[in-house]
Amino acid sequence: MASRPKPPKSDAAQPAAITEPVEQAAAPDLGVNAAAVEPDETSPDENSARLAQLFHRLNIVKIVFVDDKAEVQTDVGAIVKVLAGKPTASDALARFFPGVELALDNEALQEQVGARLGELDTEGLTALRDVLAAQTEDSAEREALGRLQTLLPETTMAHLLTPHAWHDRRAELIAECSEDRRTLFLFDQELEVDDANLGFAKGSDIIRDMAEKEKAGFGTRWFCGMLTHTVDKGDEVASWRRLEKEEKIDLRFFMPIAKANLDDAPAFYAAVYRTLINTYCETMKGLASSAFGAALKDALERFSDLDPIDFEHMIVKSSEVEGVSELDTLIRLYGIIQKDQVKAHILQHAAVGDFSLAARTVKEIADIGRELSATAQERLHKLRWEELYESEQLINGYNDPLRNGDIFEVGEGEGLKLWVLIAQPCDLMVRSNGERVREDNFKVAVLAPLRRRPLGETAPKDGLSFSLDHYDHDGAQSAVVQLADATPANLHVLDLAVLNKDGRCQLGAASDPALSLPSKAWENRDGKLRSHFSKVTKQIEDARTAHKDAVATLLAAAVIPRGSPKKAFAKYGSYDSGGFAYPIRRCGRIRDPLAASLLTAYSRFLARDAYEHDYSRA
């Protein structure tokens, strides 16, 4: 294996190092186990091997890092600056300047230092440079640059350049890049150069210039990142978005890497990995965003072109007949139009070709030791939760009708339990007259208990339960629906959740004039529910008139409707002067198709085989 050339201490002293690239050797095949190793348990050699494989797949043969700390100046001004910032540095510098009083109050300091500098040979200047590097305020940062060497694969040529060296060699370095021999350019953000002739003062200036002049080279001949102390470790993505706005650079052209990652080999690997896939991922996102934007425009035009008669029939008439809310039908209609338009735009030949090319490139390297961080897992778990479940704000805030998969909190305090409504959607549907087809059939709907699983534990698939992945803790915790413990649900009680913005099952003695329900069917349902509960109110109040409060209270406890005939529900529910209140609240919903799978699982549970016992077994 070829050894990696060491970076020159001075670009001026060793210019040949940048012009003799080393051939990229085939990286070792780490196999599928590479991705299984926890990042904080890998050794530097393992992370270097991962980088080697990553660079090999992407044809990266060279790393060029531009930093103003790449070379310590050894002129008079540099010596004076060090003494001004750290007077005690005079002790370490004394051997290079015999007979010179290294103090700022020495009026002949600059002349004497200049004279002694002229007497130093190459070896002496090198030694002085090392001492100065240790005495400056940014010595720790210089040491970090040295650690960069140990993190990179031996098969990749690495070069550390000063801003002036980059200015002189820019055209040459870019000309050496090709699709078969790519370069990863890393630029410090704060270059601290005071030379207007350079044309840049920050790493972002260099990257912006490259993007303006040679945009096509990103991801095909080179990659760019900012290896900088101005970004905190773990804050790269937030800084990336901030720098895009502040420095006016497209996100696909760069990715910041905190210099603190140089002390953490796995973190450095992850940061480089993010930098390399960024160009391709941003390309895919850009193509998708363009398709979504064009599709939205076309979908809205098609939506606006609908004949008023067609629109009225679909949204109003058909919804009224089926008992569906007009808003649900409207969203369904728009979804049909929008989905087809998105597909049509994204499948255009040019767009799908560019998208597929970027996707294939990322796929080729996606399994090379890439681990999801804890924060990344949290973000993905939360997104998955949003796909599987609907928040109570979206349900109760709209007075959404009951659906298969609605989740209810039942009880109070430590006794609070979760239950899931399971029912055939057509049987749950309230028709235009405010009633269901099988209103009083106890088999229409059931409530099944939902239990959270310990964090990290998955639910068994035994046919007696149904697993709900990513249910709680922002998607990190699973739960299980216990089908065997399901009990018939009283929909007259659960329907009360639809009438309240907080999802509570309660009914006031007087109707709420401000209540706005999603459909005419549910306006009629409100009247039906009030009629149903008014019969109970009359029974209780008649007893109060005839036998006083004590008897009315006893009768109320006996006759008020319960959420379920199950004994545990007997204590839930209270009556007060014509009003009914239950410690039952709708707190969420399982979305389809997961909710439909839950219904199917319950149907299979009911239809499970029951075998005759084997009387011949001893």
Side-chain angles (χ1 to χ4, degrees), residues 417-461:
K417 304 292 184 183
L418 293 173
W419 296 76
V420 180
L421 180 65
I422 305 176
Q424 210 284 335
C426 286
D427 291 341
L428 272 183
M429 196 69 65
V430 172
R431 308 300 170 175
S432 58
N433 61 359
E435 297 180 352
R436 295 185 173 90
V437 174
R438 283 171 280 278
E439 185 69 48
D440 298 317
N441 191 324
F442 75 94
K443 295 179 291 185
V444 167
V446 299
L447 284 169
L450 184 155
R451 300 292 180 261
R452 296 180 180 89
R453 307 288 298 181
L455 278 171
E457 184 178 318
T458 57
K461 297 182 179 180

Side-chain angles (χ1 to χ4, degrees), residues 348-612:
Q348 290 180 4
H349 181 70
V352 75
D354 292 343
F355 185 91
S356 299
L357 178 61
R360 283 197 302 271
T361 303
V362 174
K363 186 177 181 180
E364 288 177 359
I365 64 174
D367 295 328
I368 304 177
R370 194 265 295 130
E371 287 287 338
L372 278 178
S373 66
T375 53
Q377 287 180 331
E378 290 173 5
R379 291 192 298 268
L380 297 186
H381 281 156
K382 186 174 181 180
L383 183 61
R384 180 62 169 153
W385 184 93
E386 292 173 1
E387 181 183 21
L388 297 176
Y389 308 99
E390 195 167 354
S391 69
E392 61 180 85
Q393 291 82 4
L394 292 177
I395 305 168
N396 299 328
Y398 178 61
N399 301 97
D400 208 27
L402 294 186
R403 294 283 188 271
N404 172 54
D406 277 1
I407 302 171
F408 290 86
E409 294 174 344
V410 179
E412 296 174 308
E414 295 183 358
L416 188 144
K417 304 292 184 183
L418 293 173
W419 296 76
V420 180
L421 180 65
I422 305 176
Q424 210 284 335
C426 286
D427 291 341
L428 272 183
M429 196 69 65
V430 172
R431 308 300 170 175
S432 58
N433 61 359
E435 297 180 352
R436 295 185 173 90
V437 174
R438 283 171 280 278
E439 185 69 48
D440 298 317
N441 191 324
F442 75 94
K443 295 179 291 185
V444 167
V446 299
L447 284 169
L450 184 155
R451 300 292 180 261
R452 296 180 180 89
R453 307 288 298 181
L455 278 171
E457 184 178 318
T458 57
K461 297 182 179 180
D462 53 11
L464 303 179
S465 61
F466 183 83
S467 178
L468 294 177
D469 295 334
H470 305 287
Y471 174 71
D472 209 349
H473 277 77
D474 284 332
Q477 186 178 21
S478 65
V480 61
V481 179
Q482 297 170 328
L483 304 177
D485 296 326
T487 180
N490 184 345
L491 296 180
H492 285 102
V493 173
L494 299 186
D495 278 344
L496 299 181
V498 180
L499 308 182
N500 297 284
K501 295 290 186 182
D502 58 4
R504 296 188 181 279
C505 292
Q506 55 189 25
L507 186 71
S511 60
D512 180 4
L515 179 63
S516 178
L517 293 168
S519 66
K520 184 66 175 178
W522 268 90
E523 290 177 1
N524 291 333
R525 183 63 177 171
D526 180 33
K528 295 289 183 179
L529 290 172
R530 291 198 168 277
S531 175
H532 177 80
F533 281 90
S534 68
K535 296 176 183 177
V536 181
T537 298
K538 183 177 186 306
Q539 193 176 357
I540 296 171
E541 295 305 325
D542 285 349
R544 191 188 309 280
T545 301
H547 305 291
K548 307 302 182 187
D549 290 347
V551 173
T553 301
L554 290 173
L555 182 62
V559 301
I560 62 172
R562 305 295 176 182
S564 169
K566 190 177 181 69
K567 185 177 180 180
F569 282 74
K571 59 184 176 182
Y572 300 135
S574 61
Y575 170 85
D576 183 20
S577 303
F580 297 81
Y582 299 83
I584 300 174
R585 189 179 75 89
R586 185 167 58 170
C587 60
R589 173 179 293 161
I590 304 169
R591 294 182 189 265
D592 282 327
L594 186 59
S597 297
L598 170 62
L599 177 60
T600 300
Y602 184 66
S603 300
R604 284 198 300 264
F605 165 74
L606 293 179
R608 69 193 185 281
D609 291 331
Y611 299 103
E612 298 285 358

